[in-house]
Amino acid sequence: MIDFNKELYFKTDKFKVLLDRYEKSTSQGEPFYLDPEDLTDIAEYYQYHECDEKALSTIDRAIYTFPSAVEPLLFRSRYALLRENDVEKAKYYALQIIDTSDYDYKYLHAEILIHEGKPEEADEYLRMGVDDLSPRERADYVYDVVNLFLDYDALDCARKWIELIDDKSGKDYRETSARCYLLNQEYSQAEELYMQLVDQDPYSTYYWTQLTDSQYLNGKISEALQSSEFALAIDSQCEDALLAKANCQFTLGQLADALDFYHRYSALRPNDGYVESLIGSTYVKMNNLEEALIHYNKAILLANGDRSLFIDISKQKALLLSSMGLRDKALLVIENCINTAKNNIADLHVIKGYIYMDAGETDEGLRQFETAITLSDNDPFIIYQIGTACYDNGEYDLAYDALRRITIENQDDNPIDGWAYYAACCAKMGRADEFLYALRKGCEVNPAEVSIVFSNILHPNIPFTDLYEFIKNKFIK
């Protein structure tokens, strides 16, 4: 993950001159000395702009020229971890770092442990020696560790480290706490803190875009749109703000405007497969399916180096092909994903089941759902996906059974997903009491899902606090 300060550095004249001289050196053979830090910055720039081949070529050059330098090895190890999903390769490069007392090495080692599913072990490792640091070093170290855990959604570990922060009135503490609130879906608390931060630093595009995210996730789409516009007033080329504004416009149904801002973002980041897929999804909403397919295909090509993104976009393409009546092509896309993923493929069988159901082959669809449940060992989220797939295909009895299983019958686990779809099934089946109970639960624990499921009867930007009464009055006369 590239931090905000590094993004700003990439826009400076100093870095642009450095990049220009490097590219002339590599293309024309002009001698030009660069230290390992500069080469790593250039590799990070290429990675940030999805130019992975250039990033790897640059960092390999840095490692060859400066075999004991820390920064290139850190980059290459993290690249193996995050982009190639290759823990052993990440360890290989990490082991070449001689100075294991370097803080960045410690963060990398912890990151590898977290990636292996060992956050508690990472926590224990990072605590070693923390009490020997000076107060200033300790404060910086603690914040770095908190943000590392938050990057991996390890909220419990992050909160333990936040307790070690002495100054709970400073900007850094509020910023970190706001990130925790966002991760824990406490959007109102996050919004309040980001409001304080933008009051303190009204020219920070980072704070404005974070405020946008908290408002968007809290269902305050118009407010989020306004916040994104404040960020763009500060920096009209702020990529996060362009993307945030496009997402707000998409949600508000302003599809032509959303396309414009997605394209403005894409002009700055032409190799971003994720945003190319968002453009495809916008065309789907506009019922321009052929144009949507063009952008999904482009997105898949751009995402080819990122296995997770490649599969996510391929699933969207498969569902689009299915909706176009191209069953065989849709299944071929999913089979390719299964061969690519090799494991963790239960959700892909759910997609296969959806495609068969969409083609009227309900029995084969159910067989695929059974395979998914077996592969996932009855994972509630897989059952949730099956329930929504059945609901979308009008199989309300089947959807009801699946969604009831992960909501009503699973309340000891405090389920968040599924209540809205369960309520919708109950409405379709005339189960009024169950409908009201499920609707109220959904509005309490996952109002965003309620807004999606009942979007056909909601007016844009209805506050989450009004969802229950509004929907109830539409159904219960």
Side-chain angles (χ1 to χ4, degrees), residues 185 406 413-420 441-442 445-446 449:
Q185 300 182 353
I406 62 162
D413 291 336
N414 299 313
I416 294 175
D417 297 323
W419 289 106
K441 288 288 292 186
V445 301
N446 194 347
E449 184 188 62

Side-chain angles (χ1 to χ4, degrees), residues 143 195 199 207 210 224 254 337 367 435 446:
Y143 276 115
M195 287 289 287
D199 285 343
Y207 290 149
Q210 291 299 104
Q254 301 168 6
C337 287
R367 277 192 285 273
F435 164 72
N446 194 347

Side-chain angles (χ1 to χ4, degrees), residues 15 19-20 22-24 26-27 34 38-63 72 75-76 79 83-84 270-271 305:
F15 179 77
L19 178 64
D20 182 62
Y22 171 76
E23 291 186 335
K24 285 181 178 177
T26 55
S27 64
L34 283 168
D38 287 337
L39 286 167
T40 304
D41 285 340
I42 291 169
E44 288 179 342
Y45 171 84
Y46 285 138
Q47 183 187 353
Y48 179 68
H49 287 278
E50 307 294 333
C51 300
D52 286 22
E53 288 186 13
K54 289 184 176 181
L56 288 177
S57 173
T58 303
I59 212 65
D60 286 345
R61 173 179 175 178
I63 292 172
F75 176 94
R76 190 62 185 89
Y79 185 94
R83 299 300 284 260
E84 298 173 314
N271 297 311

Side-chain angles (χ1 to χ4, degrees), residues 408-466:
I408 294 292
E409 298 173 11
N410 190 41
Q411 294 198 61
D412 288 345
D413 291 336
N414 299 313
I416 294 175
D417 297 323
W419 289 106
Y421 281 100
Y422 177 50
C425 283
C426 292
K428 295 283 188 183
M429 301 168 73
R431 297 173 177 267
D433 290 342
E434 286 182 76
F435 164 72
L436 290 176
Y437 178 80
L439 178 63
R440 183 176 291 281
K441 288 288 292 186
C443 290
E444 289 173 357
V445 301
N446 194 347
E449 184 188 62
V450 175
S451 292
I452 293 169
V453 174
F454 293 96
S455 61
N456 62 316
I457 64 168
L458 297 175
H459 59 73
N461 208 32
I462 184 171
F464 282 172
T465 52
D466 297 340

Side-chain angles (χ1 to χ4, degrees), residues 267-288:
L268 297 173
R269 299 284 299 278
N271 297 311
D272 191 327
Y274 171 66
V275 171
E276 198 65 36
S277 74
L278 293 179
I279 294 172
S281 297
T282 307
Y283 279 116
V284 170
K285 280 280 189 180
M286 299 171 79
N287 204 33
N288 190 341

Side-chain angles (χ1 to χ4, degrees), residues 86-184:
D86 190 332
V87 175
E88 294 308 313
K89 186 183 287 188
K91 290 179 178 178
Y92 167 78
Y93 286 105
L95 285 171
Q96 295 180 47
I97 297 174
I98 297 171
D99 184 6
T100 57
S101 65
D102 184 280
Y103 288 156
D104 286 328
Y105 171 82
K106 290 171 70 71
Y107 302 144
L108 172 64
H109 184 72
E111 197 167 0
I112 292 172
L113 290 172
I114 298 169
H115 201 78
E116 291 181 308
K118 304 173 184 176
E120 297 298 335
E121 192 172 327
D123 177 77
E124 292 178 13
Y125 169 77
L126 289 167
R127 286 179 185 274
M128 292 188 297
V130 68
D131 293 331
D132 298 330
L133 300 174
S134 70
R136 179 58 186 272
E137 288 176 326
R138 185 175 183 272
D140 291 343
Y141 181 77
V142 169
Y143 276 115
D144 285 341
V145 171
V146 170
N147 285 307
L148 172 63
F149 281 122
L150 290 177
D151 286 345
Y152 280 88
D153 297 348
L155 183 59
D156 290 341
C157 290
R159 281 178 164 165
K160 291 177 187 176
W161 281 83
I162 284 179
E163 293 304 313
L164 301 178
I165 297 172
D166 296 321
D167 180 9
K168 292 183 170 54
S169 61
K171 184 172 69 173
D172 289 342
Y173 180 80
R174 277 180 287 172
E175 182 180 326
T176 306
S177 297
R179 284 195 69 192
C180 285
Y181 282 131
L182 272 181
L183 187 58
N184 203 40

